[in-house]
């Protein structure tokens, strides 16, 4: 079974631009969560989608948004990029939205904002 | 809000020896899950072990075991017979029953294994 895939793996943008990251969960998984990982802030939860609905949201500004499609693939969008948005963005999928569902992480997208 | 604290930014262990990584958390909830994840230099996060708060028995997965002290809100990871492949950053994480899609992570502990 294929694991969680994230595209692109690396991305370089400039301040003010916008970016869209994609996450394809493991086949059959319906929950997708997004995390931002930085050296200073560690791993921070962005949001979770389950069956195309946002179930949870972290403390990030409205520039960060996401969506989930009917095939459970998810996209994350960041508008008006700032230098501080440079980070590794991880997505994780699980079979259900319940706690018992193990989260499987993708390799991440490394975003650099210049 | 829940918080997770890993007080050891870096740890090192000799190959074949045992090492314990510390984790404490703060929560007002009585039922939750705790996890240890491993993130090798390749950056793919992997689940190492999971503990359900309502289970008193400590979880074990081969060379990995936990010491779960619910009253003390402590959740340490013991790695026995350390191997070079164990070198990685280890994250302790908390997941709430009521907010299941969100994991709260500690800052991580970088483990070095010396040959």
């Amino acid at each position: 079974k294929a694991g969680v895939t994230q595209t692109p793996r690396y991305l370089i943008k400039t301040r003010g631009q916008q970016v869209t990251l994609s996450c394809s969960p493991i086949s059959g998984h319906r929950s997708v969560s997004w995390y931002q990982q930085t050296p200073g802030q560690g791993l921070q939860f962005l949001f979770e989608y389950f069956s195309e609905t946002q179930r949870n949201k972290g403390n990030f500004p409205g520039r960060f948004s996401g969506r989930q499609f009917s095939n459970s693939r998810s996209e994350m969008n960041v508008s008006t990029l700032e230098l501080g948005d440079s980070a590794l963005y991880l997505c994780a999928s699980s079979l259900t939205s319940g706690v018992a569902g193990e989260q499987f992480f993708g390799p991440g997208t490394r975003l650099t904002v210049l | 809000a829940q918080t997770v604290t890993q007080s050891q930014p870096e740890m090192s262990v000799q190959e074949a020896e045992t090492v314990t990584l510390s984790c404490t958390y703060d929560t007002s909830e009585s039922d939750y899950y705790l996890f240890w994840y491993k993130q090798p230099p390749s950056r793919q996060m992997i689940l190492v072990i999971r503990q359900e708060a309502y289970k008193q028995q400590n979880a074990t997965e081969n060379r990995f075991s936990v010491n779960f002290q619910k009253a003390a809100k402590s959740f340490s990871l013991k790695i026995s017979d350390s191997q070079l492949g164990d070198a990685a950053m280890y994250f302790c994480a908390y997941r709430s029953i009521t907010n299941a899609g969100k994991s709260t992570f500690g800052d991580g502990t970088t483990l070095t294994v010396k040959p």
Side-chain angles (χ1 to χ4, degrees), chain A residues 33 35 37 43 45 48 56 88 90 97-103 105-107 110, chain B residues 33 35 37 39 43-45 47 50 91 95-97 99-103 105 107:
Chain A
S33 297
Y35 296 86
Q37 186 176 19
L43 274 152
F45 172 77
E48 182 216 4
N56 292 287
L88 181 69
L90 296 171
S97 185
V99 175
E102 177 182 340
Q103 286 187 321
F105 284 82
R110 169 73 64 185
Chain B
Y33 279 66
F35 304 82
Y37 288 93
Q39 189 178 40
R43 313 299 272 185
Q44 190 103 24
M45 191 92 71
L47 177 67
R50 166 171 57 192
F91 291 95
R95 283 175 76 184
S96 164
I97 295 290
N99 199 8
K102 169 187 175 182
S103 290
F105 288 86
D107 289 338

Side-chain angles (χ1 to χ4, degrees), chain A residues 7 15 17 21 23 31 48 51-52 63 65-66 80 91 95 99:
Chain A
T7 56
R15 278 182 301 173
Q17 287 187 308
L21 312 182
C23 172
S31 171
E48 182 216 4
S51 294
E52 302 179 65
R63 301 185 297 107
S65 63
T80 319
C91 84
L95 196 58
V99 175

Side-chain angles (χ1 to χ4, degrees), chain B:
Chain B
Q2 294 83 23
T3 59
V4 177
T5 302
Q6 292 179 248
S7 59
Q8 307 153 316
E10 297 178 348
M11 290 283 284
S12 67
V13 63
Q14 208 69 37
E15 197 176 3
E17 298 290 306
T18 295
V19 65
T20 299
L21 309 184
S22 301
C23 172
T24 58
Y25 59 95
D26 189 27
T27 184
S28 58
E29 299 177 324
S30 59
D31 202 6
Y32 46 86
Y33 279 66
L34 296 164
F35 304 82
W36 277 99
Y37 288 93
K38 171 185 177 182
Q39 189 178 40
S42 67
R43 313 299 272 185
Q44 190 103 24
M45 191 92 71
I46 304 165
L47 177 67
V48 174
I49 199 164
R50 166 171 57 192
Q51 175 76 43
E52 299 155 18
Y54 63 87
K55 288 188 177 179
Q56 292 186 336
Q57 186 173 6
N58 289 325
T60 300
E61 284 289 339
N62 301 313
R63 298 181 295 106
F64 299 87
S65 61
V66 298
N67 183 4
F68 173 50
Q69 301 289 328
K70 190 173 183 180
K73 295 179 183 174
S74 171
F75 181 61
S76 60
L77 174 70
K78 185 171 84 171
I79 306 173
S80 304
D81 186 25
S82 296
Q83 301 175 358
L84 295 177
D86 295 334
M89 180 164 280
Y90 287 81
F91 291 95
C92 177
Y94 173 103
R95 283 175 76 184
S96 164
I97 295 290
T98 56
N99 199 8
K102 169 187 175 182
S103 290
T104 301
F105 288 86
D107 289 338
T109 296
T110 300
L111 178 66
T112 302
V113 181
K114 298 177 180 178

Side-chain angles (χ1 to χ4, degrees), chain A residues 80-94:
Chain A
T80 319
L81 284 165
E82 299 177 359
L83 295 178
D85 297 333
S86 294
L88 181 69
Y89 290 88
L90 296 171
C91 84
S93 78
S94 60

